[in-house]
Amino acid sequence: MKKLREKAGILADALPYFRDFNQKIIVIGYLCSNILSGEEEEGVMQDIALLKSVGMKPVIVHDSRMGADKFRENKRVAKLVELAGVKAVGICGIDEQTLHMTLDNGYIPVVTPNDIDTETVNLDPADTAREIAVMLQAEKLIYVSKYEGVTWEENQNKILSMTETELKTYMQAQGPEPDFQKKLDNVIQALDGGVQRVHLVSGRMKHALLLELFSVLGVGTVVMRDDRKLYAHEKGRY
């Protein structure tokens, strides 16, 4: 009974988040397929399926495993999502009309950056995720990658929440490594393009997506616009 009461309490705490995020578009840049085991990858897709099941509208933009065919990877990731119990459809390249059509019909779009015309071009899925988030005016852009969030080098303390201006100050002071710098540049461009918030979470942490979205402090780093617009469930708690 104690465990049942604990589970009931967790669900009760999550209800305000379900309400605030209902029918909101969430673009997820899944950027860590090369470092996750099959079981870890399935766990990420199951969490994304849960987001869909509680009323959110996820869009997945994924990288490809080293040496794998991009289009086969697209089918593979879409299949993993469907095995988690929701409808998904693979999309090659950025097509706004197709994205809206799949979302409106209850599917999760699973996007690979390349289409037939750019098959041999090296396109960064982090860029594509940001472009789609701005195009769809998504509520959130979430980068699921090897990075756990933004940390200060001096003490390795993670910054759970920061504004766009604070992020710019951090970048000038810390000088992040090039790959992380590029993701942080995308964070700023997404916010400037109208996305409400951008999250950075670890793909290796079990249920990181759920913990980040359905708790006040989260487990990664959330970057907000400078006005720090709060959701109803955050007021008085953030």
Side-chain angles (χ1 to χ4, degrees):
M1 286 300 295
K2 182 180 178 182
K3 287 186 177 180
L4 289 175
R5 284 194 295 269
E6 288 174 351
K7 288 181 180 179
I10 292 169
L11 288 172
D13 287 342
L15 284 175
Y17 298 86
F18 297 164
R19 181 175 58 246
D20 285 348
F21 301 152
N22 187 46
Q23 296 303 298
K24 297 290 175 44
I25 296 174
I26 312 293
V27 177
I28 300 165
Y30 173 57
L31 311 176
C32 51
S33 65
N34 281 296
I35 64 171
L36 298 190
S37 67
E39 183 178 354
E40 288 172 326
E41 189 172 46
E42 288 172 10
V44 173
M45 298 308 154
Q46 287 166 2
D47 287 350
I48 295 173
L50 179 59
L51 300 183
K52 174 71 172 65
S53 299
V54 298
M56 300 167 75
K57 292 184 173 182
V59 177
I60 301 171
V61 182
H62 64 89
D63 59 7
S64 297
R65 291 183 175 182
M66 195 72 68
D69 178 88
K70 294 180 177 66
F71 302 137
R72 285 184 178 273
E73 277 289 277
N74 192 233
K75 291 181 179 180
R76 185 185 69 81
V77 175
K79 183 66 175 178
L80 283 175
V81 177
E82 291 201 320
L83 288 173
V86 296
K87 298 185 294 184
V89 61
I91 298 174
C92 299
I94 302 174
D95 185 329
E96 184 174 3
Q97 183 177 0
T98 301
L99 287 166
H100 279 296
M101 182 176 65
T102 53
L103 288 169
D104 291 344
N105 284 280
Y107 287 80
I108 294 181
V110 177
V111 182
T112 183
N114 298 79
D115 59 21
I116 195 67
D117 295 323
T118 60
E119 185 175 359
T120 60
V121 180
N122 185 23
L123 298 177
D124 188 339
D127 293 343
T128 303
R130 183 253 307 158
E131 291 173 24
I132 290 175
V134 171
M135 175 190 295
L136 299 179
Q137 287 297 280
E139 186 73 14
K140 295 176 180 291
L141 168 61
I142 306 174
Y143 284 133
V144 181
S145 71
K146 65 181 181 181
Y147 300 106
E148 297 181 357
V150 177
T151 59
W152 288 108
E153 289 184 4
E154 292 83 0
N155 51 26
Q156 292 300 301
N157 285 341
K158 188 185 300 177
I159 305 171
L160 298 178
S161 170
M162 61 198 313
T163 64
E164 181 178 351
T165 295
E166 289 169 343
L167 176 60
K168 290 176 180 177
T169 300
Y170 165 88
M171 292 166 70
Q172 290 176 347
Q174 299 291 308
E177 62 177 272
D179 182 58
F180 194 40
Q181 171 81 37
K182 195 168 188 305
K183 286 181 175 59
L184 296 181
D185 288 338
N186 269 316
V187 170
I188 292 170
Q189 291 177 53
L191 294 169
D192 289 344
V195 178
Q196 291 297 318
R197 297 189 184 185
V198 184
H199 299 253
L200 302 166
V201 299
S202 168
R204 278 247 160 96
M205 179 183 290
K206 191 172 183 179
H207 300 311
L209 270 173
L210 305 184
L211 294 168
E212 177 69 12
L213 292 180
F214 300 139
S215 63
V216 174
L217 294 179
V219 294
T221 297
V222 58
V223 187
M224 311 179 191
R225 297 180 186 177
D226 287 339
D227 60 7
R228 278 189 178 271
K229 181 181 176 183
L230 299 181
Y231 297 111
H233 68 265
E234 293 174 331
K235 293 175 181 177
R237 302 176 65 189
Y238 214 101

